[in-house]
Amino acid sequence: MIPEKELRLFHLLRVRGLGRRRIRQLLRIDPQLTSIYQLSVNELQTLLKLPSPTIDKIHNDLHSSQIISSIKYDYSQTNMISIYNPLYPQLLKMIPDPPLCLYAKGNLDYLNHEPKLSVVGTRAHSQEAERKVQYLFKPLIQHDWLIVSGMAKGIDKLSHQAALAYNGKTIAVLGFGFHHIYPKENIHIMNTIGRNHLLLSEYPPHTKPKPWHFPERNRIISGLSFGSLIIEAKEKSGTFITAEQALEQGREVFVVPGSILSPQTKGCHLLIQEGATLIYDSTDLIQAWKTTKISV
């Protein structure tokens, strides 16, 4: 059975036109999320100040038995972890905009395993990138560090592969639901992580990948860990989004330097100039973890 408050939260997350910001507004007004179901269309309009077509959708979805049935089905098939669940990762709960629900597939003990290190970087990496990952990760994994990344091409995939190769632990944060695989070439590694490690998403299982999901997902990647490691990044790179989010969350940003002739490391050098911590080897990361001020 789904606890009533969690069921209402899961329901609101599937109501078209609401979104996390307005759900948080509703939680402040009514922490048990009961009053919204009693509101008329006009009362919803007054409260939410949204266009009439959007209000109509919201009112319809609030009273949709089909949505409730789909939630109960998903709850029976996968792990749905609300922000009120004791399993919810404590570090993630501390960020400005934590996901209100996580869908999890795999080893739930990983959610609060420490230390975790988030790893991001360019999809079009250099030939040297794999050696960088192996050089840095092998000692960390021997110290029982968990590697978090985003299941994309490039650095993400190298990071997950290294964790698997060294018998470590890894979490893949997805920008889509579990019923989809993107990119298709990651089908084997994604299935392996789902069986033996952990897949996480804030999107229901049927949700297809959308372009805006991936920047949203990045706040979860950085939020799960005390710090984010940038292996390689071009001058104009989506990796900067994760670095900015990590800083907004009060987390560390670590950067691996590289050749001044390589376009894949130009972004890394810009981040170092802006104050990110240069990482020479794994002992730099281990020392940073020992001195971190983030309490878990």
Side-chain angles (χ1 to χ4, degrees):
M1 284 289 292
I2 310 175
E4 282 299 318
K5 181 179 178 179
E6 293 192 34
L7 177 58
R8 290 190 287 270
L9 178 60
F10 297 150
H11 186 185
L12 294 186
L13 285 165
R14 300 195 188 191
V15 170
R16 294 168 295 169
L18 273 183
R20 292 190 307 274
R21 185 174 64 82
R22 287 191 173 84
I23 293 173
R24 292 185 198 284
Q25 175 190 347
L26 293 170
L27 281 166
R28 287 191 293 271
I29 296 168
D30 175 19
Q32 295 302 314
L33 298 175
T34 54
S35 61
I36 189 170
Y37 291 93
Q38 315 305 322
L39 299 180
S40 67
V41 170
N42 288 338
E43 288 169 330
L44 283 170
Q45 177 83 64
T46 301
L47 176 64
L48 299 175
K49 298 178 173 57
L50 289 168
S52 294
T54 304
I55 292 294
D56 289 338
K57 287 179 183 177
I58 289 172
H59 188 266
N60 288 337
D61 286 358
L62 283 171
H63 301 280
S64 168
S65 59
Q66 184 177 354
I67 291 177
I68 295 294
S69 296
S70 70
I71 292 167
K72 290 180 177 178
Y73 176 78
D74 289 342
Y75 192 85
S76 71
Q77 298 296 310
T78 190
N79 295 292
M80 293 171 62
I81 300 167
S82 84
I83 197 167
Y84 305 112
N85 191 311
L87 288 174
Y88 192 96
Q90 293 305 305
L91 277 179
L92 188 60
K93 195 179 288 188
M94 296 163 58
I95 71 172
D97 180 22
L100 296 170
C101 172
L102 290 170
Y103 295 84
K105 187 175 182 182
N107 190 337
L108 299 183
D109 291 339
Y110 285 14
L111 289 170
N112 285 293
H113 178 93
E114 298 300 337
K116 297 188 195 73
L117 179 69
S118 298
V119 184
V120 293
T122 181
R123 286 171 169 81
H125 57 75
S126 72
Q127 292 182 346
E128 197 178 34
E130 187 170 359
R131 289 170 55 205
K132 293 176 186 177
V133 168
Q134 292 170 351
Y135 172 73
L136 290 169
F137 285 14
K138 188 174 182 180
L140 296 178
I141 290 168
Q142 288 172 344
H143 283 81
D144 202 28
W145 282 46
L146 186 153
I147 303 302
V148 180
S149 199
M151 190 55 73
K153 294 180 181 179
I155 297 299
D156 287 19
K157 186 175 181 180
L158 290 179
S159 301
H160 294 304
Q161 286 175 326
L164 298 180
Y166 296 128
N167 296 314
K169 299 176 175 69
T170 191
I171 295 175
V173 184
L174 310 179
F176 45 89
F178 295 149
H179 293 171
H180 301 275
I181 293 176
Y182 179 84
K184 295 294 185 185
E185 67 189 53
N186 283 352
I187 183 169
H188 175 71
I189 190 169
M190 184 172 158
N191 287 338
T192 299
I193 292 172
R195 284 194 306 270
N196 305 319
H197 297 267
L198 186 63
L199 297 174
L200 280 185
S201 177
E202 68 176 321
Y203 305 106
H206 63 275
T207 308
K208 294 179 180 179
K210 303 289 184 184
W212 61 87
H213 289 172
F214 297 95
E216 278 199 326
R217 169 211 60 181
N218 290 349
R219 81 188 196 287
I220 303 175
I221 295 174
S222 57
L224 282 166
S225 308
F226 83 103
S228 293
L229 175 66
I230 316 297
I231 300 288
E232 290 186 344
K234 295 183 178 180
E235 184 176 9
K236 295 179 180 178
S237 169
T239 301
F240 280 81
I241 296 173
T242 309
E244 289 168 2
Q245 289 174 331
L247 291 172
E248 288 172 3
Q249 295 165 354
R251 308 298 163 83
E252 300 288 340
V253 176
F254 307 110
V255 179
V256 179
S259 168
I260 61 172
L261 304 178
S262 171
Q264 286 90 347
T265 55
K266 190 165 186 179
C268 293
H269 298 152
L270 290 172
L271 286 167
I272 292 169
Q273 286 179 327
E274 292 173 3
T277 301
L278 186 152
I279 293 300
Y280 180 73
D281 60 24
S282 59
T283 57
D284 294 335
L285 292 164
I286 292 169
Q287 185 59 32
W289 166 247
K290 288 178 180 177
T291 58
T292 184
K293 294 179 178 147
I294 297 176
S295 59
V296 182

